[in-house]
Amino acid sequence: MKKWKLQNRILSLVLLPGLIVSVFLGSFFIMQRMSDLDLLLEERGLAIGKQAASTSEYGVISGNFLLLENLTNNLLEERDLRAARILNKDGQVLAHSGPIMIENYIGNTQIKSGRLQLSKTQDTIRIKAPVFSQNIDLDNNDLEPLYKQQSVSNDLLGWVEIEMSLTNTQLGKYQHLAISIATVISTLLLCLMLAIRISRSISNPVKDMVTCVDNISDGKIDSRVHINSGDEFQTLAAGINAMAIAIQRAKNEHTQNIEQATHDIRETLDTIEIQNIELDIARREAIEASRIKSEFLTPYHRYWHL
């Protein structure tokens, strides 16, 4: 991470927390929603089974199989209800509607609401509600021959068993999962766009200032930073521009001083050269005067020797 660019660091700082929060919260709410869908199906099945057990009491007591068959057929109109049947207390089927119930159970049977039994298979849940006598008064003529031989009491009369399909619940889970994933992805994309914008608002001014400083160090002192963000970057850019102006001013003054010194040196050299020329002329004149003087004094010198 030390070798990452500033823009990549900003992107990671913005996206990483959002990714972690989205994954954890998304996973939590997805699992919670799936559990709620399962619980909702179970509660609805338990309510249907309990209501059906109360409704089927008269049919079980009277042995009215046609009434029980109509009841199971009406139960199939309930959403997600796959099959329904009514049994007597000995386990004999009195009425059945729908396909054959699945028997490959998963796990143990659970007791709900004190009396209702709930079992699970791979694709369904099975709910078994007991039917009890509630002291319904019936004439002997209302009873079927099978039930005329039995005494009606407050004991268990039979069972209502319904099977709820998990297909719609699984479909709802998949839909919720797809919506949740799409929401998480959309949130991450929004965070990515925001992170890119923030990183550019930070990295671009820094890049411009670094480029300007590099140009100044290379001798391009006329380089300037143009930032109008109104924040600390603009203040820093103004400081860099002021530094560049001061360097340019110092360079101009230094150049002028060098030019002035060069001019003064040239004038001094010219003066020295003129003086050298004058000295050379004076030397030549002195030599010539000495020669003329020697030529003038030579005859007299010879005369005196004679």
Side-chain angles (χ1 to χ4, degrees):
M1 188 173 180
K2 293 182 179 180
K3 297 182 179 180
W4 284 12
K5 294 182 179 179
L6 179 61
Q7 185 174 2
N8 295 333
R9 293 183 181 183
I10 296 173
L11 288 176
S12 63
L13 289 176
V14 175
L15 288 180
L16 189 58
L19 179 61
I20 294 175
V21 171
S22 298
V23 169
F24 278 96
L25 290 182
S27 301
F28 173 76
F29 285 114
I30 288 174
M31 298 302 296
Q32 184 67 33
R33 178 56 179 169
M34 289 184 176
S35 177
D36 290 342
L37 290 175
D38 289 335
L39 183 61
L40 181 62
L41 181 64
E42 291 181 6
E43 290 179 349
R44 192 154 55 85
L46 292 173
I48 294 173
K50 188 175 182 180
Q51 181 65 30
S54 176
T55 306
S56 63
E57 178 188 352
Y58 175 81
V60 174
I61 293 176
S62 64
N64 191 337
F65 300 114
L66 179 61
L67 177 63
L68 297 178
E69 194 72 27
N70 290 333
L71 176 60
T72 55
N73 288 332
N74 291 333
L75 287 176
L76 292 182
E77 297 179 0
E78 295 288 343
R79 183 174 179 267
D80 297 324
L81 201 147
R82 178 177 178 272
R85 67 184 181 182
I86 300 175
L87 304 89
N88 62 13
K89 61 182 179 180
D90 297 326
Q92 298 176 346
V93 178
L94 303 179
H96 180 93
S97 298
I100 299 175
M101 293 186 176
I102 301 173
E103 301 294 341
N104 54 337
Y105 296 109
I106 298 176
N108 298 323
T109 300
Q110 304 175 27
I111 304 299
K112 301 289 185 178
S113 301
R115 295 179 176 179
L116 280 69
Q117 301 177 13
L118 187 145
S119 304
K120 295 182 179 180
T121 67
Q122 187 68 31
D123 301 315
T124 62
I125 60 172
R126 182 86 62 83
I127 296 169
K128 194 173 182 181
V131 179
F132 292 98
S133 173
Q134 301 296 328
N135 296 323
I136 297 178
D137 294 329
L138 293 175
D139 296 331
N140 289 331
N141 294 330
D142 294 335
L143 298 177
E144 293 290 335
L146 175 65
Y147 288 89
K148 287 181 179 180
Q149 302 174 6
Q150 301 178 5
S151 60
V152 178
S153 65
N154 292 328
D155 297 334
L156 178 67
L157 299 177
W159 300 88
V160 172
E161 195 169 11
I162 62 174
E163 190 175 56
M164 306 289 291
S165 174
L166 297 176
T167 302
N168 291 331
T169 301
Q170 294 293 343
L171 181 60
K173 290 181 179 180
Y174 294 144
Q175 291 177 347
H176 178 70
L177 180 62
I179 294 174
S180 299
I181 293 176
T183 303
V184 171
I185 292 176
S186 301
T187 303
L188 291 178
L189 289 177
L190 182 62
C191 291
L192 177 61
M193 295 174 60
L194 181 62
I196 292 175
R197 184 171 181 179
I198 294 175
S199 64
R200 286 180 178 177
S201 66
I202 296 176
S203 62
N204 288 342
V206 172
K207 186 184 299 182
D208 293 341
M209 288 186 288
V210 170
T211 301
C212 181
V213 172
D214 290 339
N215 291 334
I216 293 174
S217 63
D218 292 337
K220 301 176 182 179
I221 58 176
D222 56 342
S223 298
R224 298 291 183 272
V225 184
H226 302 285
I227 298 177
N228 297 319
S229 58
D231 52 12
E232 290 81 1
F233 288 115
Q234 185 173 356
T235 303
L236 184 58
I240 294 175
N241 292 334
M243 180 188 68
I245 293 173
I247 294 174
Q248 187 175 22
R249 184 182 298 112
K251 183 178 180 180
N252 292 335
E253 292 178 355
H254 183 65
T255 302
Q256 291 177 358
N257 293 333
I258 292 175
E259 291 177 354
Q260 183 63 38
T262 302
H263 179 70
D264 294 340
I265 292 173
R266 287 179 180 176
E267 288 183 351
T268 302
L269 291 176
D270 291 340
T271 301
I272 292 173
E273 185 177 1
I274 292 173
Q275 290 177 355
N276 289 335
I277 293 174
E278 291 177 351
L279 289 174
D280 185 62
I281 293 173
R283 184 179 63 81
R284 290 180 181 181
E285 290 178 352
I287 293 172
E288 183 65 22
S290 176
R291 184 183 65 79
I292 294 173
K293 182 178 179 181
S294 298
E295 290 179 354
F296 177 77
L297 294 177
T298 299
Y300 291 98
H301 181 69
R302 291 176 181 178
Y303 174 76
W304 288 107
H305 281 282
L306 293 175

